[in-house]
Amino acid sequence: MGKIKYILPIIFLSTGLSVFATTGSLIGNNAGINLENPLLAVTTPTATKNYMQVQPLDMVQNPSFYLNKYVKVKGKFDKFSTLGLDYKPAMKSSEDYITFLIQRPDVTDHNVPLSELKIFLKRPEAEKHIDLNAGDEIEFAGKVFSTALGDVWMDVEQFKVLTTKPKETEKK
């Protein structure tokens, strides 16, 4: 009995150390645990999205190819719209979003919207750009989330105005 009271604590201590060493190496920093001070969280950088630069006409000619992909598009702004809002198969609420259209790049003699590309922008961001005019150059990036009706439905994550046309002054 005398030897047992010395051996048992050694067994418990060695088992505890081996479990800590094993789990500590398995967990590492991948679990967000700082092993030197477990109360401090380890921050890991967020993954950056790689947006592929695409031409809008390529997207509307092959919508299924772009489904669930992150894309970046340059175009000429046409107008804000309600096109596609509250459509159940690709639901984006008109309370939270507004759509905008860009001009068809293959028509240069007058403004024709590219209505096959449904582009959704969150209302707070759209309200920052309420003064855009037809023909202003923009760049936007986001994810193609649906191909309902055979069209491209895109959720915008980044929106940038590249150039604006000078405002026309009225003649009196």
Side-chain angles (χ1 to χ4, degrees):
M1 182 80 165
K3 290 183 180 182
I4 291 179
K5 65 180 175 181
Y6 294 113
I7 294 175
L8 279 178
I10 293 172
I11 291 173
F12 288 133
L13 183 60
S14 64
T15 303
L17 289 174
S18 93
V19 167
F20 176 76
T22 303
T23 58
S25 65
L26 288 176
I27 293 173
N29 287 339
N30 293 333
I33 298 172
N34 181 333
L35 295 178
E36 291 178 13
N37 187 349
L39 297 177
L40 295 177
V42 173
T43 57
T44 55
T46 56
T48 58
K49 295 175 186 166
N50 290 324
Y51 295 99
M52 114 175 94
Q53 187 77 44
V54 298
Q55 297 299 317
L57 290 177
D58 292 342
M59 291 175 62
V60 299
Q61 289 171 354
N62 192 3
S64 59
F65 176 79
Y66 294 97
L67 182 61
N68 295 319
K69 293 197 174 140
Y70 292 92
V71 297
K72 184 182 281 189
V73 181
K74 286 184 182 179
K76 289 187 178 184
F77 179 82
D78 189 62
K79 64 182 142 231
F80 287 107
S81 171
T82 58
L83 183 67
L85 290 170
D86 300 319
Y87 178 64
K88 290 188 190 218
M91 186 62 181
K92 292 291 181 186
S93 168
S94 58
E95 292 179 11
D96 301 326
Y97 292 89
I98 190 77
T99 53
F100 66 90
L101 298 169
I102 62 171
Q103 296 173 357
R104 291 189 68 90
D106 57 343
V107 178
T108 56
D109 57 344
H110 54 282
N111 296 343
V112 177
L114 185 62
S115 60
E116 303 93 330
L117 179 55
K118 283 101 176 137
I119 314 164
F120 296 86
L121 187 61
K122 291 192 177 189
R123 280 194 176 268
E125 182 66 22
E127 289 169 358
K128 295 177 188 175
H129 305 287
I130 200 70
D131 58 343
L132 282 174
N133 293 305
D136 290 348
E137 293 181 18
I138 59 173
E139 180 178 67
F140 51 97
K143 183 178 182 181
V144 175
F145 68 91
S146 178
T147 57
L149 302 173
D151 289 344
V152 177
W153 298 65
M154 182 179 172
D155 206 1
V156 173
E157 299 170 347
Q158 299 173 5
F159 186 90
K160 187 185 331 179
V161 177
L162 300 176
T163 63
T164 56
K165 290 174 50 177
K167 306 265 188 250
E168 293 181 16
T169 57
E170 291 183 30
K171 294 182 181 178
K172 291 189 179 184

